[in-house]
Amino acid sequence: MTAISKSSRTQYSDRVLELRQKIHDSEYVDFAVQRIAQVLSRKLVEDNERIYSGRRHESR
C-alpha cells in the first residue's frame, strides 16, 4: 500500500481517502464484487418474475 502525502489529504475528503485505501484490500474488493453480483441477481429475478407473472394473466 502506498502512503498518501499530506498535500493529498487536503485535496480529498476523509471518505475518499478511506475508499482509496480499501481498493487495495483484496478481501474488501472481493466482498464488494460479491455484494454487487448478489444485488443485481436479486433485481434480475424480481424483474423477471414481475414480467412473467403479468403474462400469465393476459388473454390468449
Side-chain angles (χ1 to χ4, degrees):
M1 185 176 355
T2 60
I4 299 170
S5 69
K6 188 173 183 177
S7 62
S8 294
R9 288 189 180 143
T10 58
Q11 281 182 286
Y12 302 107
S13 70
D14 290 340
R15 179 70 177 141
V16 170
L17 293 175
E18 177 187 352
L19 291 172
R20 286 177 72 177
Q21 288 179 337
K22 285 182 175 182
I23 63 170
H24 296 289
D25 179 352
S26 61
E27 285 183 34
Y28 175 82
V29 173
D30 288 345
F31 177 79
V33 169
Q34 191 75 340
R35 181 70 180 127
I36 291 166
Q38 206 173 33
V39 169
L40 288 174
S41 295
R42 185 178 308 124
K43 178 73 172 144
L44 288 171
V45 168
E46 288 171 357
D47 287 351
N48 215 15
E49 287 174 349
R50 185 177 45 83
I51 289 168
Y52 285 109
S53 69
R55 287 185 182 172
R56 279 186 258 162
H57 302 296
E58 290 178 0
S59 303
R60 292 182 185 208

